[in-house]
Amino acid sequence: MTSMDRLRRFRGLHPSGRFRGWGGVMAMVAACVLTGSLTLLPLSHSVGEDPADSAQQRISTAVPVVAEDCDLLESSVQPSGVDGEAIKRIKARKVPKLVVGIDQNSYGWGYRNPLTKELEGFDIDLVHAIAEEIFGDPDAVTYRAVTTSQRIPALKKEEGKDGAVDLVVRTMSIDCQRKKEVLFSTAYFETGLQLLAPKGSAIKGYDESLRGKRVCSASGSSADSKLRAESFGAKRVSVPNQLDCLVRLQLDEADAIMTDNSLAAGLMAQDPAIERVGAQLPKEYYGIAAKNGNTDLIARVNKVLKDYSAGGDDSRWTRSYKKWLAKGLPGLTGPPTAR
């Protein structure tokens, strides 16, 4: 690839000179618009390949995927409107606001609109609903942008410390290992891992067609864990956020992206030159996470989720889904059954 070709890719152009789609510009804008009212946590590492894995880049690793044989993954505590110790502490703050870890780079879920500079998306709507339930004010929130790998560390930080959050509402898949470290709400969305590749790519799915290819995923994600367990001979490229993978693909520094099907829809909306390839892997569930011990806070979140899905086609869940997600993820009628 010539230097001019690389520049064109960076700008969102194919080497032929035609635009690669809205995402060629907007993905770069979204990646760069990282300032404003958010308190940003520092990145845990620089963007790039994982140097510790250089010896494993061409072969499958021996790291096992967490067995999904724990209690029903999407199960959680009963909904409750009672103010327990955690909620009382939050309300007693000098500035009584909910501190929430979110994403600002996932189109349709949690992203900063480059035109209005406002945070928008399905997850952001949920945050507003939780704040309204606890404080009577949907805007009683302090947002903190966290990378995929920082979600659990941010919850484990002592309250009041820099970067600490009360909740993480950030397309966070529930799995057995995470359930040992944090408290999860019941599931509010069903998804599954899937590959993305440029249209016309030789990559056909999560199989031997990945051999020798560069596959990008967000560090600390379920996609990252899956690729560590079985890469099919691919070279893994690890980045802080899944939007970084789209930029890597556009710069010809990756051949494919592995992420949740639901996040893949947002990436495709930003770059029409890519598509899902292969079958979606077994289903996963998104949950809202809190610090271990803050059971009353998760019980209140579950109350919000119960109310949020009430009303069928006119529920707040459905209205938010239709506004942000239905175009790329059509046919959904509601969240998973609360357990």
Side-chain angles (χ1 to χ4, degrees):
M1 177 178 288
T2 67
S3 59
M4 182 58 70
D5 287 340
R6 291 180 65 83
L7 178 59
R8 284 171 171 162
R9 271 189 180 273
F10 184 82
R11 287 177 170 173
L13 295 170
H14 285 302
S16 63
R18 63 183 176 85
F19 279 103
R20 185 172 179 150
W22 181 86
V25 177
M26 297 304 284
M28 292 304 299
V29 171
C32 295
V33 181
L34 296 177
T35 59
S37 63
L38 292 183
T39 302
L40 300 181
L41 298 178
L43 299 180
S44 57
H45 57 78
S46 60
V47 177
E49 291 88 2
D50 188 343
D53 298 316
S54 57
Q56 299 288 346
Q57 288 174 347
R58 297 289 177 177
I59 61 174
S60 302
T61 71
V63 180
V65 171
V66 177
E68 304 299 346
D69 59 357
C70 54
D71 293 340
L72 193 65
L73 283 176
E74 66 271 35
S75 65
S76 185
V77 300
Q78 288 287 340
S80 172
V82 175
D83 283 6
E85 292 184 4
I87 293 178
K88 288 177 180 178
R89 286 197 305 271
I90 292 169
K91 287 184 172 181
R93 290 171 178 160
K94 185 175 181 180
V95 180
K97 289 188 176 183
L98 195 65
V99 183
V100 184
I102 51 91
D103 194 354
Q104 61 172 0
N105 296 309
S106 290
Y107 182 68
W109 289 94
Y111 75 107
R112 186 179 289 283
N113 186 316
L115 301 178
T116 66
K117 305 299 187 292
E118 296 294 326
L119 285 165
E120 299 176 346
F122 190 86
D123 278 349
I124 304 303
D125 284 355
L126 268 177
V127 174
H128 287 310
I130 297 167
E132 185 175 16
E133 165 67 26
I134 294 175
F135 295 102
D137 178 2
D139 296 318
V141 182
T142 296
Y143 292 103
R144 287 190 173 149
V146 295
T147 63
T148 304
S149 63
Q150 290 171 336
R151 293 176 297 190
I152 290 177
L155 285 168
K156 288 185 172 182
K157 288 186 177 183
E158 184 180 342
E159 186 172 334
K161 296 292 185 181
D162 184 42
V165 299
D166 301 315
L167 295 172
V168 168
V169 186
R170 194 192 182 284
T171 58
M172 188 171 180
S173 299
I174 306 168
D175 68 31
C176 297
Q177 181 57 45
R178 289 173 180 168
K179 287 190 78 168
K180 295 176 183 177
E181 299 185 77
V182 297
L183 282 176
F184 275 105
S185 70
T186 190
Y188 68 88
F189 207 89
E190 181 180 311
T191 186
L193 295 174
Q194 197 160 15
L195 278 163
L196 281 167
K199 292 178 179 178
S201 169
I203 296 173
K204 302 305 179 185
Y206 182 60
D207 54 31
E208 291 294 336
S209 66
L210 292 178
R211 185 165 300 280
K213 303 297 185 181
R214 301 160 298 174
V215 182
C216 186
S217 64
S219 177
S221 67
S222 53
D224 185 47
S225 297
K226 191 72 172 176
L227 287 168
R228 286 177 182 271
E230 175 56 88
S231 68
F232 288 103
K235 177 182 177 181
R236 292 190 302 103
V237 179
S238 181
V239 297
N241 295 296
Q242 51 91 22
L243 180 61
D244 298 322
C245 283
L246 179 59
V247 177
R248 286 297 186 98
L249 199 67
Q250 292 173 332
L251 292 173
D252 195 35
E253 294 175 358
D255 301 302
I257 300 168
M258 193 168 190
T259 188
D260 301 336
N261 173 276
S262 47
L263 293 171
L267 295 179
M268 289 167 59
Q270 293 174 88
D271 192 339
I274 61 176
E275 64 183 355
R276 299 183 186 97
V277 293
Q280 178 178 306
L281 300 185
K283 62 185 177 184
E284 298 180 352
Y285 300 99
Y286 290 156
I288 296 168
K291 187 190 300 288
N292 267 334
N294 288 353
T295 307
D296 64 301
L297 180 55
I298 282 296
R300 183 63 68 87
V301 168
N302 285 339
K303 179 181 183 300
V304 172
L305 293 177
K306 180 180 178 181
D307 297 341
Y308 205 69
S309 60
D313 289 342
D314 194 41
S315 70
R316 293 179 71 180
W317 189 99
T318 302
R319 294 200 302 269
S320 184
Y321 158 73
K322 287 179 178 179
K323 182 176 182 179
W324 303 114
L325 305 175
K327 185 175 181 180
L329 295 165
L332 301 183
T333 58
T337 302
R339 303 187 185 277

